[in-house]
Amino acid sequence: MNDIIRNIEAEQMKSSVDDFSVGDTVRVYGKIKEGNRERIQVFEGTVLKRQNGGCRETFTVRKTSNGVGVEKTWPLHSPNVEKIEVVRRGKVRRAKLNYLRKRVGKSAKVKELMR
């Protein structure tokens, strides 16, 4: 039974996944259906966390829109995620950046990783 599930999940996974990690500022191109039309909407923000692994892996991105914090969680291997573009790399020491939710302004920024 486990082999059957593993094979089905392997078919569902994307062949190439963009390399990004927690703390990075990313631009997510997501497909949105409106009636019978389909368009791509861009969501740019900081990656707060990456959860699970394999086919079920998800990531959460947070941005501030009109002074209000907005978070969105996407499945990494979803066909609704067109592509993920890394804008800048962040220097963090945690796996999950939940503390950013309480912060506003400059204190909500993540230092840039210089390579």
Side-chain angles (χ1 to χ4, degrees), residues 25-62:
T25 302
V26 294
R27 205 174 278 146
V28 181
Y29 293 83
K31 289 182 187 173
I32 293 181
K33 283 189 177 180
E34 294 173 334
N36 57 358
R37 292 184 309 157
E38 194 175 89
R39 66 183 178 88
I40 292 177
Q41 187 173 20
V42 180
F43 190 90
E44 184 175 340
T46 307
V47 178
L48 288 187
K49 59 185 173 179
R50 282 182 77 164
Q51 288 184 303
N52 307 325
C55 185
R56 298 182 190 93
E57 187 170 358
T58 61
F59 64 99
T60 302
V61 180
R62 179 180 176 85

Side-chain angles (χ1 to χ4, degrees), residues 19-22 24 86 88-91 112-115:
D19 183 40
F20 68 97
S21 61
V22 174
D24 293 353
V86 178
R88 53 182 280 236
R89 300 273 178 193
K91 181 182 179 187
E112 189 168 359
L113 184 65
M114 299 294 176
R115 288 189 181 172

Side-chain angles (χ1 to χ4, degrees), residues 1-13:
M1 185 70 166
N2 288 338
D3 293 334
I4 297 169
I5 294 171
R6 226 177 271 129
N7 290 336
I8 292 170
E9 286 182 351
E11 293 171 9
Q12 302 288 326
M13 292 176 68

